[in-house]
Amino acid sequence: MFLDDFHTLTDGRIRISARQASQFAKRIAGDYNPIHNPDARRFCVPGDLLFALVLARFGLSQRMTFRFLSMVGDGTPLCFSEQDDGRIRVCDESGKCYLEVERSGEATRDESVVEAFTRSYVAFSGKNFPHYLKPLMEEKGVMFNPRRPLVIYDSMGFCLDRLDAPAPGLEFVDSSLEVSGKRGDALLEFRIMAGNEAIGTGSKKLVVSGLCDYDAEAMDEVVAEFYRLKAYHEAEA
């Protein structure tokens, strides 16, 4: 399974080290958000890795909603379980819930289908910055603190007409950013394709914290650093 390198299963608990999380973010998602660096002061496991592990363990359903309730730290033992109310929850040993998933409709556990959908979504999701967020922030005249950029995964959901697409693709449809003080809620909408046929829709919500006035020069430096890191890690792969 392509996720084996990015988690460890011990005594029924999943642990994700900071190194495993960082490798997933960079190698699979193309996500260079500094919050996923092993030495980050506020390090957290990528939400897309938790998303991928849920699909690997419980399959892909036609309708799914993921709500990220808290950030997972380095090596936290996690239990992935379907509970009495039908929701899937990812919790630690004290019962703290980090991710809650609702699902309905038909489901598939076909590993090739699940992996193809996972890879397609994660590749799309990893393009938060600069591809989608930079134009939004520029339009609104705001940006995150360039010294401490903080972009948090809030939620995502999708609805599929069918589950048999062997190589689905995701297309960006629209985006919006609502600003309230120093916080911004970004919504990214996408279409799920099977060849030239649309087979589903979905959206992803992000929270951008510590907003300040947009500074084109500072943003250019952040974008340049993103592409420097991208080139470095692609050369190392």
Side-chain angles (χ1 to χ4, degrees):
M1 184 65 181
F2 83 103
L3 297 176
D4 287 350
D5 290 341
F6 309 113
H7 73 285
T8 304
L9 180 62
T10 307
D11 297 328
R13 298 288 187 269
I14 284 180
R15 295 175 185 263
I16 302 166
S17 71
R19 181 182 180 280
Q20 288 172 320
S22 181
Q23 287 295 307
F24 176 89
K26 295 171 176 63
R27 286 169 45 189
I28 305 299
D31 180 355
Y32 300 97
N33 186 336
I35 201 171
H36 304 316
N37 292 340
D39 59 352
R41 184 175 62 86
R42 297 189 64 183
F43 165 83
C44 77
V45 170
D48 284 334
L49 179 49
L50 301 179
F51 162 86
L53 288 167
V54 166
L55 292 193
R57 292 176 72 85
F58 298 98
L60 173 67
S61 295
Q62 283 185 289
R63 290 174 293 277
M64 302 187 79
T65 302
F66 295 72
R67 296 185 182 89
F68 297 89
L69 306 176
S70 191
M71 297 191 294
V72 177
D74 177 17
T76 302
L78 300 171
C79 177
F80 288 61
S81 62
E82 183 173 11
Q83 301 185 352
D84 293 342
D85 60 4
R87 296 181 181 182
I88 297 166
R89 290 185 174 88
V90 178
C91 302
D92 64 18
E93 293 174 319
S94 70
K96 180 179 179 179
C97 186
Y98 296 88
L99 172 61
E100 183 177 84
V101 185
E102 294 183 55
R103 57 180 177 162
S104 61
E106 297 180 8
T108 180
R109 289 180 176 264
D110 183 311
E111 289 187 6
S112 62
V113 170
V114 172
E115 179 174 337
F117 183 85
T118 301
R119 285 185 178 273
S120 183
Y121 174 74
V122 168
F124 167 84
S125 181
K127 294 180 179 179
N128 293 333
F129 181 86
H131 308 77
Y132 308 126
L133 285 180
K134 179 182 179 291
L136 281 177
M137 292 189 292
E138 187 172 12
E139 177 186 342
K140 294 288 187 178
V142 297
M143 65 181 288
F144 45 58
N145 183 334
R147 294 180 298 280
R148 294 188 299 276
L150 188 58
V151 180
I152 303 297
Y153 205 160
D154 180 87
S155 58
M156 71 82 69
F158 59 83
C159 180
L160 288 163
D161 297 330
R162 57 187 179 88
L163 297 167
D164 60 349
L170 269 71
E171 291 184 353
F172 173 75
V173 174
D174 199 7
S175 62
S176 61
L177 177 63
E178 293 186 8
V179 176
S180 178
K182 293 187 176 295
R183 171 191 166 115
D185 291 337
L187 185 67
L188 309 179
E189 299 174 66
F190 56 88
R191 182 183 299 116
I192 304 162
M193 306 294 294
N196 294 322
E197 178 190 359
I199 62 168
T201 59
S203 64
K204 173 181 182 178
K205 181 181 176 184
L206 299 162
V207 176
V208 187
S209 298
L211 292 179
C212 57
D213 290 340
Y214 191 85
D215 181 327
E217 184 176 345
M219 179 58 74
D220 287 346
E221 291 177 1
V222 175
V223 172
E225 177 65 6
F226 169 88
Y227 283 109
R228 186 193 71 78
L229 289 172
K230 176 178 170 66
Y232 171 79
H233 287 287
E234 287 179 346
E236 290 287 303

